[in-house]
Amino acid sequence: MADAMSLEIAAEHERILREIESTDTACIGPTLRSVYDGEEHGRFMEKLDARIRNHDREIEKMCNFHYQGFVDSITELLKVRGEAQKLKGQVKDTNKKLQEEGTEMLKTMDELKQCRLQQRNIATTIDKLMLCLPALEMYNKLKEQMKSKRHYPALKTLEYLEHTYLPRVSHYRFCNIMVENIPKLREEIKDVSMSDLKDFLESIRKHSSKIGETAMKQAQHQRNLDNIVAQPVRTGSGKKSKKDAFKVFNMEDMSSSPVSENDSGIIDVEDEGDEELEVLGAQDLVDFSPVYRCLHIYTVLGARDAFENYYRKQRRKQARLVLQPPSNMHETLEDYRKYFNQIVGFFVVEDHILHTTRGLVNRAYIDELWELALSKTIAALRTHSSYCTDPELALDLKNLIVLFADTLQGYGFPVNQLFDMLLEIRDQYSEILLKKWSGTFRQILESDNYSPMSVFDEETYRYITGQFPFLEAELEKQTFPRKFPFSEFVPKVYSQIKEFIYASLKFSEDLHLSSTEVDDMVRKSTNLLLTRTLSNCLQNVIKKKNVGLTKLVQIIINTTHLEQSCKFLEEFITNITNVLPETVHTARLYGISTFKDVRHAAEEEIYTTLNQKIDQFLQLEDYDWMATESSEKVSDYLLDLIAFLSNTFAVFTHLPGKVAQTACMSACKHLSTSLQHLLLDTEIRQITMGALQQFNLDVKECEQFARSGPVPGFQGDTLQLAFIDLRQLLDLFIQWDWSTYLADYGRPTCKYLRVSPTTALTLLEKMKDTSRKNNMFAHFRKNERDKQKLIDTVAKQLRSLINSHHS
């Protein structure tokens, strides 16, 4: 068993040695590992040493066999080595020279190669750049145009770039980037142009007042020129300036006009003088290029409809804002002016857009906006003008509305409704004037002294006759001081009527009315002044409490002269309106009837006042109705009353005769009636014959006053007839003539025709009661008994007459 193991180990070692001898040294590691992995590496080392010794012996044998040849070869080799060394030196020198020369050549060749490569690259680059350069130049031009806000030229450049230049260089990456940016650039151009348009719209909204102010100034200037020259020449704000009247903008020209970064659409004219403004038209204040650019850009981009809708929508919104009046517009004329300026500025811009663009706005759109503006403006003016109480403001407002209408009419807008509305404002103006003149008339009437005017020199006399048409030959012959029959308010009122006519006429100017229409309006206003305002003021003076008779008399005299002056007012109106009174449909002044009505009211007031004065005196009566006999003298209160009436009727000398006579007759009738009512008053239960005789004495005094003729013009005893009822009643009782009364009652020739049975019975009852109470022993006296029987009999017969009359 041990022998077998030894054999296997020996065989293994032999294999390993063979493997070591035949294997590359780089791969000997695994073989040696197998030796060390085993346990017999000592024996292997012995085996290896034996093998090495064996090989050394073989080498030694080999060397001994070839030794002489080897020595010969070495000797020859040593001989060759010297020659080889020389050859090697020569080769090295030659190689060195060759290397040096070759290096230079290689360097030159490399340089030549590089130059040829660069030359080829440069040529290729030039060709490619020549192909790309136009596209790059156009793109750079596009950026510059957008930077300078020349959007329309930028859009044209973009079109050329997209369709002409970029297809040539489509395989380059930068071209793809440009192509991707083209929609963004279009949107940017679209957005920037829309932003410019919004800035423009905002700017004209803010500056429309300035535009309208310029247009209205030029319209005023043109109207002044039209008044001076026969041939009207329209400047600036006429229909259009010669330079750009109805000129449709040229898109090609627009491409060469750079616009500043801060382009707002409005030219700054704040620092320019008025002369410069007169040269510039209202449209010249506005740079419309943002609208034109944006319109064309949207047209090119195929979005024109969207642009038109947006523009019209925004302008409609602005129109509503412009047409909204300020709440306090009625306070000052400047607020009205700003309101009108904004409206005019708005429509001046729209009118220019209409005539300089192809279809951005059309006539139907403009007409729609104008109809809206007319309705809103007229409604605002109706509302705010109703608050006006100052005639000067109303007149200025009218002139401003006329200028507003004329300005817009110059641009082709229909303004008939504005002039119709002015006629409504004219009615308000008339009411304002009437209120103002009502205060003026009240002040004149309150400050008047109601006594005839006295003048002390020729100058004052001529001044008054110049104010009021009054010429009287007798007054001209008198020496100073001269006295007019009327008081101060007559010339003042007459002058104020003329001033009112002038004020009324002012409103009719520039309303494009015919002379007949103006005349009719002036006459109607004057009639309202006379019939309503002046009449009411005079009526109020007449109806005042405690108005004096002297004042009423003077009012009658004054109104008489004012009535006579109405024909001069007619002539005055005819002269200022140049319309003859004979013209058909010409209105007549109602002054005559007005002053007649006032005079009649004054007359009635005189009658009423006289009666009131008489009643006041009658309240002072102190009759002793139980007196046994008369005092044989007229009562004091009646003497005072007669004196008052005498003095009063003396003042009536300047009144028309019928007025004085009517007043006198009315006073006497009222006195007679009042005395009779006093006699028959139910509170007076008893009247003696003595008291009746005293009363009869007072009535006789009244009859004496009537016979004295306090007012001239009565025929015979006409005035005494006012006391006939009272006279017949007193005669019947004082004369105790009952037989005649009862016998003749009912006959036309009856002596006591004016005494009714009822009146007679009433007074008789009072005397019957007196007889019974004052004569306690009357039934013991035959005469008294007979008298009582007579009274009872007469009373019975009177009752019978009364009953028969009622039945």
Side-chain angles (χ1 to χ4, degrees):
M1 185 69 178
D3 294 337
M5 288 293 291
S6 299
L7 290 173
E8 287 180 3
I9 294 170
E12 180 64 23
H13 287 169
E14 188 64 27
R15 184 188 64 79
I16 292 171
L17 289 175
R18 285 196 302 271
E19 189 174 342
I20 291 171
E21 291 173 348
S22 61
T23 303
D24 189 6
T25 56
C27 299
I28 201 171
T31 303
L32 294 176
R33 181 180 296 276
S34 64
V35 174
Y36 285 98
D37 288 340
E39 297 178 357
E40 298 295 332
H41 57 275
R43 293 178 65 183
F44 176 76
M45 291 301 294
E46 293 175 358
K47 192 81 171 173
L48 180 61
D49 290 338
R51 179 64 62 93
I52 291 171
R53 286 191 299 271
N54 187 25
H55 280 296
D56 286 340
R57 283 191 299 270
E58 287 180 359
I59 291 171
E60 185 178 355
K61 286 180 181 179
M62 184 66 71
C63 287
N64 289 331
F65 176 77
H66 295 289
Y67 179 74
Q68 186 62 41
F70 176 72
V71 171
D72 293 338
S73 297
I74 291 300
T75 302
E76 289 178 4
L77 184 60
L78 289 173
K79 291 179 182 179
V80 173
R81 185 176 62 179
E83 294 297 328
Q85 289 293 333
K86 291 179 183 179
L87 181 61
K88 182 179 179 181
Q90 292 174 359
V91 171
K92 284 184 178 180
D93 292 338
T94 303
N95 182 56
K96 183 178 181 181
K97 292 178 181 179
L98 181 62
Q99 289 297 327
E100 290 175 357
E101 295 295 332
T103 302
E104 285 293 327
M105 189 175 127
L106 287 175
K107 184 177 180 182
T108 304
M109 291 299 291
D110 289 340
E111 291 177 355
L112 178 61
K113 181 181 176 181
Q114 189 66 31
C115 287
R116 292 288 177 84
L117 181 61
Q118 288 178 353
Q119 186 178 9
R120 187 171 62 254
N121 289 342
I122 288 171
T124 304
T125 302
I126 289 173
D127 292 339
K128 298 301 182 182
L129 284 177
M130 292 301 292
L131 185 63
C132 297
L133 193 57
L136 295 172
E137 288 176 348
M138 291 298 287
Y139 192 80
N140 183 63
K141 182 180 178 181
L142 173 64
K143 287 294 186 180
E144 290 294 330
Q145 288 171 338
M146 292 188 65
K147 183 177 180 182
S148 61
K149 301 186 74 173
R150 298 170 59 199
H151 304 122
Y152 169 67
L155 191 61
K156 291 181 66 177
T157 303
L158 188 62
E159 294 294 324
Y160 284 125
L161 182 65
E162 182 180 17
H163 297 103
T164 304
Y165 295 98
L166 289 182
R168 299 174 185 173
V169 292
S170 58
H171 55 283
Y172 292 106
R173 188 171 60 182
F174 76 86
C175 177
N176 296 330
I177 296 174
M178 289 183 182
V179 171
E180 292 175 358
N181 284 338
I182 284 176
K184 297 179 182 178
L185 292 173
R186 280 202 178 96
E187 286 299 319
E188 183 179 351
I189 291 173
K190 189 176 178 181
D191 293 342
V192 172
S193 62
M194 179 57 72
S195 177
D196 289 345
L197 176 68
K198 290 179 179 178
D199 293 341
F200 170 81
L201 292 175
E202 179 65 19
S203 183
I204 61 172
R205 185 187 70 81
K206 293 179 180 178
H207 294 84
S208 60
S209 180
K210 183 67 177 177
I211 300 169
E213 179 184 359
T214 304
M216 292 180 72
K217 281 182 179 179
Q218 290 170 338
Q220 179 67 46
H221 180 65
Q222 182 61 42
R223 190 165 65 178
N224 294 339
L225 288 179
D226 291 344
N227 293 334
I228 296 173
V229 296
Q231 287 283 339
V233 179
R234 186 172 288 278
T235 61
S237 82
K239 272 288 182 179
K240 292 287 172 287
S241 64
K242 292 181 180 179
K243 182 174 64 177
D244 32 85
F246 303 103
K247 176 184 176 183
V248 179
F249 71 98
N250 189 342
M251 294 300 176
E252 299 298 329
D253 296 340
M254 213 171 57
S255 63
S256 61
S257 59
V259 182
S260 66
E261 292 285 345
N262 297 322
D263 177 23
S264 65
I266 302 298
I267 298 175
D268 186 9
V269 295
E270 294 298 329
D271 298 330
E272 298 182 10
D274 292 338
E275 294 180 0
E276 181 74 15
L277 286 177
E278 290 181 3
V279 176
L280 289 174
Q283 304 92 335
D284 298 327
L285 298 177
V286 184
D287 178 14
F288 290 93
S289 57
V291 181
Y292 302 151
R293 285 195 304 271
C294 196
L295 171 61
H296 189 66
I297 287 169
Y298 271 72
T299 302
V300 172
L301 295 176
R304 181 186 176 99
D305 292 341
F307 174 76
E308 290 179 0
N309 293 334
Y310 176 80
Y311 177 84
R312 295 182 184 184
K313 181 179 179 181
Q314 293 302 313
R315 289 298 278 166
R316 281 193 181 96
K317 289 181 179 179
Q318 290 186 356
R320 291 188 178 92
L321 290 176
V322 164
L323 296 172
Q324 185 66 33
S327 58
N328 59 344
M329 185 172 71
H330 58 274
E331 294 180 357
T332 63
L333 185 68
E334 191 60 31
D335 290 331
Y336 283 106
R337 194 186 306 279
K338 290 178 181 177
Y339 180 61
F340 289 143
N341 286 343
Q342 288 181 349
I343 297 174
V344 171
F346 178 88
F347 282 100
V348 165
V349 170
E350 290 307 289
D351 181 74
H352 189 77
I353 292 292
L354 173 67
H355 291 98
T356 56
T357 59
R358 295 186 180 95
L360 177 57
V361 296
N362 53 33
R363 177 53 64 182
Y365 161 79
I366 295 293
D367 291 343
E368 177 190 349
L369 284 182
W370 178 238
E371 287 298 324
L372 174 67
L374 270 181
S375 61
K376 294 282 188 182
T377 304
I378 290 174
L381 288 175
R382 281 198 181 110
T383 301
H384 288 273
S385 63
S386 63
Y387 294 113
C388 182
T389 57
D390 182 8
E392 292 299 326
L393 178 59
L395 189 60
D396 291 340
L397 174 60
K398 164 256 170 183
N399 292 330
L400 189 60
I401 294 174
V402 170
L403 179 58
F404 170 72
D406 288 347
T407 303
L408 289 170
Q409 191 174 33
Y411 286 90
F413 295 99
V415 293
N416 292 334
Q417 293 184 44
L418 286 174
F419 283 102
D420 293 340
M421 191 268 304
L422 276 173
L423 297 181
E424 298 178 18
I425 295 182
R426 193 219 174 279
D427 295 336
Q428 297 179 12
Y429 175 73
S430 296
E431 290 298 324
I432 295 171
L433 288 181
L434 291 174
K435 289 181 181 178
K436 178 183 178 181
W437 257 260
S438 176
T440 302
F441 286 148
R442 282 198 303 269
Q443 185 177 1
I444 291 173
L445 296 176
E446 288 173 0
S447 62
D448 194 38
N449 57 9
Y450 294 94
S451 59
M453 291 180 64
S454 296
V455 292
F456 300 92
D457 54 59
E458 184 70 21
E459 182 180 357
T460 307
Y461 179 79
R462 294 303 172 194
Y463 174 76
I464 294 174
T465 54
Q467 274 191 315
F468 182 73
F470 179 79
L471 292 176
E472 188 174 310
E474 293 183 2
L475 188 62
E476 290 280 347
K477 296 176 183 178
Q478 293 178 8
T479 59
F480 290 100
R482 296 176 183 174
K483 183 177 288 187
F484 290 99
F486 48 78
S487 65
E488 290 182 358
F489 92 63
V490 171
K492 289 182 179 179
V493 166
Y494 184 83
S495 297
Q496 287 300 322
I497 294 173
K498 291 172 68 175
E499 290 295 326
F500 178 87
I501 294 172
Y502 276 126
S504 298
L505 185 64
K506 282 183 180 179
F507 197 93
S508 302
E509 295 174 355
D510 300 320
L511 293 186
H512 310 302
L513 300 174
S514 64
S515 299
T516 304
E517 290 175 316
V518 173
D519 180 83
D520 185 63
M521 293 171 68
V522 170
R523 289 177 182 272
K524 285 182 179 178
S525 298
T526 307
N527 279 331
L528 283 175
L529 179 74
L530 295 174
T531 58
R532 196 174 74 186
T533 304
L534 181 56
S535 176
N536 287 343
C537 290
L538 290 171
Q539 294 282 3
N540 290 336
V541 172
I542 292 170
K543 298 298 182 182
K544 273 187 178 179
K545 290 184 177 180
N546 302 322
V547 62
L549 288 171
T550 305
K551 190 173 184 178
L552 292 171
V553 170
Q554 190 61 54
I555 289 174
I556 292 175
I557 296 171
N558 290 350
T559 52
T560 301
H561 287 283
L562 286 173
E563 178 185 340
Q564 295 169 356
S565 70
C566 286
K567 62 180 180 179
F568 297 102
L569 289 176
E570 291 268 10
E571 294 176 2
F572 175 72
I573 294 175
T574 300
N575 290 334
I576 63 175
T577 61
N578 296 320
V579 177
L580 298 177
E582 295 79 13
T583 305
V584 181
H585 304 308
T586 299
R588 294 288 183 268
L589 292 184
Y590 301 146
I592 295 176
S593 59
T594 298
F595 294 124
K596 280 184 178 179
D597 292 341
V598 172
R599 189 166 61 253
H600 291 158
E603 292 170 3
E604 292 295 331
E605 194 65 26
I606 286 177
Y607 307 151
T608 303
T609 303
L610 273 175
N611 293 342
Q612 291 174 350
K613 289 290 184 181
I614 290 172
D615 292 340
Q616 292 175 4
F617 279 103
L618 288 176
Q619 289 176 0
L620 301 176
E621 59 84 16
D622 55 349
Y623 288 111
D624 181 7
W625 298 108
M626 303 301 295
T628 56
E629 58 182 9
S630 170
S631 64
E632 302 298 332
K633 65 177 182 178
V634 180
S635 300
D636 293 337
Y637 86 92
L638 191 64
L639 291 176
D640 294 339
L641 173 59
I642 297 299
F644 165 75
L645 292 176
S646 298
N647 294 332
T648 300
F649 293 142
V651 179
F652 288 6
T653 54
H654 294 293
L655 285 176
K658 291 184 178 180
V659 176
Q661 293 170 13
T662 304
C664 186
M665 176 60 76
S666 173
C668 290
K669 284 184 176 180
H670 183 73
L671 177 58
S672 175
T673 304
S674 299
L675 289 173
Q676 185 169 338
H677 288 166
L678 178 63
L679 189 63
L680 301 176
D681 190 358
T682 55
E683 294 183 0
I684 301 174
R685 299 184 179 278
Q686 300 173 4
I687 297 178
T688 63
M689 185 58 71
L692 199 61
Q693 289 173 350
Q694 178 63 43
F695 191 81
N696 182 52
L697 186 64
D698 291 344
V699 172
K700 286 182 179 180
E701 184 65 22
C702 293
E703 291 173 330
Q704 178 60 33
F705 169 74
R707 281 193 297 271
S708 66
V711 173
F714 287 107
Q715 296 180 357
D717 297 334
T718 303
L719 191 58
Q720 287 180 261
L721 294 178
F723 299 96
I724 187 66
D725 293 0
L726 192 56
R727 169 48 50 207
Q728 290 184 5
L729 179 64
L730 291 174
D731 286 349
L732 174 62
F733 276 85
I734 291 174
Q735 296 175 11
W736 207 253
D737 194 7
W738 293 106
S739 59
T740 303
Y741 176 80
L742 294 172
D744 294 343
Y745 179 76
R747 297 179 183 177
T749 57
C750 178
K751 180 179 179 181
Y752 303 104
L753 183 63
R754 301 272 183 175
V755 180
S756 67
T758 304
T759 303
L761 179 60
T762 301
L763 186 57
L764 185 63
E765 290 290 342
K766 293 181 179 183
M767 296 190 70
K768 180 173 68 174
D769 292 342
T770 303
S771 299
R772 289 175 178 174
K773 293 180 180 180
N774 290 345
N775 298 289
M776 298 176 60
F777 302 100
H779 59 281
F780 296 111
R781 302 174 188 172
K782 186 177 183 303
N783 291 338
E784 293 298 333
R785 289 198 305 271
D786 293 342
K787 185 176 182 180
Q788 286 298 326
K789 289 181 180 179
L790 178 60
I791 290 174
D792 292 339
T793 302
V794 170
K796 185 177 180 180
Q797 291 180 352
L798 288 174
R799 291 190 185 95
S800 177
L801 289 176
I802 293 170
N803 292 332
S804 63
H805 176 71
H806 287 306
S807 63

